[in-house]
Amino acid sequence: MRFESLLIHRCTLVKHIFVGKDDYNQDIYEDVLVENVPCRVDQVKKFVSRDDNGENYITQNVLFTGFTQALNNDMRVRDIKDKQGNMVLAGEYTLESAQPVYGRVRLHHYEATLKGSE
């Protein structure tokens, strides 16, 4: 099965890019939107502890993109929808631990943990 067929969601990536310097030699940055990016968001349960009251879990949202769309920690992602336009995760999230994942021979995909912007 091709990995691209597993990318069942669409999102908007916000890239913070350097555009120049101002009169005081300060860096100027601008947000650039990349819309309709094929992606997939999954919720991962991580076991934390077990006590007399039960088990405590932490859930994390993980974002996957294909090898053509690089992810890095300076980006933000917003409004993750399915292919029909239904909202899956609303709001804006920052990326943590963004990294490439390699197959046997070449780059396979990118993945990152989502952290809510607060």
Side-chain angles (χ1 to χ4, degrees):
M1 181 188 306
R2 293 179 48 100
F3 184 75
E4 289 80 19
S5 66
L6 299 175
L7 301 177
I8 58 173
H9 301 130
R10 299 293 180 261
C11 65
T12 300
L13 291 177
V14 182
K15 295 181 179 182
H16 197 65
I17 62 168
F18 174 76
V19 293
K21 297 214 179 247
D22 64 6
D23 296 338
Y24 301 102
N25 206 25
Q26 302 260 340
D27 292 341
I28 301 173
Y29 290 93
E30 188 175 290
D31 287 341
V32 175
L33 299 178
V34 181
E35 297 180 339
N36 203 24
V37 175
C39 63
R40 181 182 184 107
V41 65
D42 283 331
Q43 224 177 38
V44 178
K45 288 185 180 179
K46 295 201 171 193
F47 179 74
V48 177
S49 66
R50 177 181 286 183
D51 59 11
D52 295 335
N53 297 326
E55 297 175 344
N56 296 314
Y57 288 94
I58 291 179
T59 59
Q60 290 181 327
N61 292 314
V62 180
L63 179 75
F64 301 93
T65 61
F67 68 92
T68 58
Q69 180 56 61
L71 297 177
N72 61 48
N73 292 338
D74 295 332
M75 293 180 175
R76 297 184 312 271
V77 64
R78 66 168 66 147
D79 298 334
I80 301 171
K81 300 178 181 181
D82 63 10
K83 289 183 179 180
Q84 289 76 30
N86 302 317
M87 193 64 66
V88 175
L89 279 178
E92 189 169 284
Y93 299 88
T94 58
L95 300 182
E96 287 185 341
S97 306
Q99 60 187 358
V101 177
Y102 291 90
R104 291 183 184 172
V105 179
R106 62 182 165 231
L107 178 63
H108 190 258
H109 67 277
Y110 287 89
E111 63 183 59
T113 304
L114 298 181
K115 181 178 179 186
S117 298
E118 299 176 18

